[in-house]
Amino acid sequence: MAERVVLAYSGGLDTSVGIGWLKDATGKDVVALAIDVGQEGEDMEVIRQRALDCGAVEAVVIDARDEFANDYLMPALKANALYQKRYPLVSALSRPLIAKHLASTAIALGADSVAHGCTGKGNDQVRFEAAVAALAPDLISLAPVRDFALTRDKAIVYAAEHNLPIVQSKKSPYSIDQNVWGRAVETGFLEDPWNAPIEDLYTYSQDPAIPREATEVTITFTEGIPTAIDGKPVTPLEAVVQLNRLAGDQGIGRIDIVEDRLVGIKSREVYESPAGLTLIAAHEELENLTIERDLARYKRGVESKWSELVYDGLWFSGLKRSLDVFIDDTQRYVSGEVRLELHAGKATVTGRKSEQSLYDFDLATYDTGDTFDQSQAKGFIEIWSLPSKISARRDHAAGGSIEA
Ligand code: ARG
């Protein structure tokens, strides 16, 4: 029996042609693995059949939507994960999950290799292969598009010659990756970073400029995780799906950014992540209410490191694992409710409350009933500024002075 390779199959041109290419180049039988991560508007059964029609010896579909939400999106939410402060890691979060299923399917079927359809210019190749290396170090990773120089033109010719059932009629100029956390759109006219995005690019969000009534929504969190929307209990996946609709209908979640890829290229990316940005805004504000100052400040630094690790393909790494333990511990009191107004492309927090709140009205108020003893502030500032005062005296004695 021929050796087997398990290919992460999306149903698109590259991975469809990749089935034949892998077989031709390696002699291995190709098993196609399609993972449902909540990509909107794609029928997984059609994709499965297409893999078989393109020559896969076996085609497997795994519904990983709940696993994706529970084990990948929720850690990202607890980390308020935004790469370069803006990108909610849409594609970066799905890669380790897909890689995990690639590795476990390969091991279960006795395959010696896995494969993906990434080019050699992006982050996703790194994420797939670094994750597979960390999970199953003996598996071989193959990348037909990259390693066999499979260009788009060659792929189209190959598909035609072999009568592959790929519909290339509505040729989209964009490279799109999507899952329930959002969509990533690149290439086409967007490659000129001066070109403004057009309405056509978006499917998860409506045009924010269209006048419409605001939507009010209340999200309940339990230890950092959304557990109810407007009082109705939800699973993490349901929370994301519902907020994609509520926030997406208000044009929320669009991101247009020049991004620093791990491979050194700067690229122009357009994203939409209605639920992602709404949940992060709400969660971060609940943290402001429930996490003490020094922990909150320190955590913001950890969040940025966490986001870079995940962006850079190090989901299954020691540092990321240890940061997760820290982040989980910070969520102990992040329970309560956040009310948001969703309107005109913006999710604005308008209220927050928690039984674990650290907000003390009597301390904060400027009205009567104030329990904060202001006379203590004077001595505090005296001691707080003592190091500055002493060093300033030395600076002046040495002839230096601060620009003032
Ligand atoms: N640049 C983004 C990232 O690295 C998105 C990649 C999207 N992939 C794609 N094939 N369009 O996470």
Side-chain angles (χ1 to χ4, degrees):
M1 196 172 93
E3 281 285 2
R4 293 178 140 197
V5 51
V6 181
L7 167 70
Y9 184 69
S10 69
L13 175 69
D14 289 340
T15 52
S16 295
V17 171
I19 293 172
W21 275 60
L22 274 170
K23 178 76 189 165
D24 295 348
T26 67
K28 296 179 199 286
D29 284 339
V30 180
V31 176
L33 175 66
I35 307 287
D36 188 350
V37 280
Q39 49 274 52
E40 223 169 69
E42 294 178 16
D43 182 334
M44 298 311 287
E45 185 45 39
V46 171
I47 289 176
R48 203 185 73 82
Q49 190 53 50
R50 189 179 303 152
L52 295 172
D53 294 343
C54 289
V57 292
E58 207 174 316
V60 183
V61 172
I62 295 177
D63 178 356
R65 287 175 298 167
D66 280 303
E67 180 188 6
F68 185 47
N70 296 339
D71 300 346
Y72 294 80
L73 303 183
M74 293 305 108
L77 176 59
K78 290 182 197 172
N80 297 315
L82 295 172
Y83 179 67
Q84 288 181 206
K85 296 191 178 151
R86 294 184 49 211
Y87 166 43
L89 297 171
V90 173
S91 302
L93 289 165
S94 74
R95 301 316 182 203
L97 170 133
I98 296 170
K100 189 175 158 199
H101 285 287
L102 271 179
S104 58
T105 305
I107 289 165
L109 298 180
D112 70 342
S113 321
V114 295
H116 59 76
C118 304
T119 71
K121 293 178 74 170
N123 299 310
D124 290 331
Q125 54 171 343
V126 184
R127 296 170 182 150
F128 278 127
E129 293 178 34
V132 169
L135 294 171
D138 296 329
L139 282 178
I140 302 161
S141 280
L142 300 171
V145 175
R146 179 192 67 196
D147 300 341
F148 315 148
L150 177 57
T151 62
R152 228 172 152 75
D153 291 342
K154 284 195 208 165
I156 290 168
V157 171
Y158 186 98
E161 279 176 5
H162 293 77
N163 271 321
L164 299 186
I166 322 280
V167 208
Q168 260 313 108
S169 50
K170 50 171 186 160
K171 264 210 293 181
S172 163
Y174 312 115
S175 163
I176 294 167
D177 182 50
Q178 51 182 6
N179 60 54
V180 76
W181 201 232
R183 276 175 86 241
V185 187
E186 49 190 24
T187 72
F189 79 102
L190 294 171
E191 282 179 353
D192 179 347
W194 184 249
N195 285 339
I198 50 169
E199 207 38 49
D200 218 38
L201 299 176
Y202 303 104
T203 64
Y204 283 22
S205 59
Q206 303 297 316
D207 184 351
I210 294 174
R212 50 171 85 77
E213 294 275 292
T215 309
E216 194 180 87
V217 65
T218 300
I219 307 174
T220 305
F221 288 88
T222 308
E223 295 183 20
I225 296 220
T227 47
I229 291 184
D230 290 331
K232 286 218 230 39
V234 285
T235 63
L237 178 64
E238 288 165 351
V240 174
V241 169
Q242 288 179 27
L243 286 168
N244 269 338
R245 215 198 56 247
L246 291 173
D249 285 353
Q250 292 285 352
I252 290 164
R254 297 180 172 190
I255 300 140
D256 174 4
I257 186 176
V258 170
E259 189 174 291
D260 275 308
R261 284 192 191 164
L262 177 58
V263 295
I265 300 170
K266 281 193 186 289
S267 68
R268 198 281 184 83
E269 307 278 340
V270 169
Y271 301 105
E272 45 186 347
S273 176
L277 293 198
T278 303
L279 280 166
I280 290 172
H283 175 261
E284 195 168 34
E285 181 60 10
L286 189 59
E287 290 190 332
N288 289 342
L289 190 69
T290 55
I291 297 188
E292 68 259 37
R293 182 192 61 198
D294 287 351
L295 181 54
R297 288 181 180 175
Y298 192 83
K299 181 171 182 280
R300 301 293 172 239
V302 171
E303 291 170 352
S304 124
K305 184 69 198 173
W306 192 97
S307 304
E308 286 172 7
L309 288 173
V310 172
Y311 186 86
D312 290 348
L314 297 175
W315 180 272
F316 298 109
S317 67
L319 180 52
K320 148 79 172 46
R321 210 162 30 238
S322 296
L323 294 184
D324 277 330
V325 176
F326 168 82
I327 291 169
D328 270 340
D329 190 63
T330 64
Q331 300 300 293
R332 189 180 313 203
Y333 299 117
V334 186
S335 300
E337 290 179 25
V338 179
R339 187 184 59 233
L340 301 106
E341 184 186 82
L342 310 176
H343 193 226
K346 282 210 296 274
T348 310
V349 174
T350 61
R352 65 294 271 157
K353 66 177 174 189
S354 168
E355 291 188 2
Q356 324 291 341
S357 172
L358 298 174
Y359 184 91
D360 183 330
F361 178 84
D362 294 334
L363 284 175
T365 184
Y366 285 95
D367 293 343
T368 43
D370 177 7
T371 58
F372 185 84
D373 181 356
Q374 296 195 33
S375 70
Q376 304 283 357
K378 190 174 158 60
F380 164 73
I381 298 165
E382 192 67 39
I383 293 170
W384 180 248
S385 51
L386 195 56
S388 307
K389 194 180 271 185
I390 296 169
S391 57
R393 287 199 179 116
R394 182 198 50 197
D395 292 347
H396 289 184
S401 75
I402 306 176
E403 331 56 76

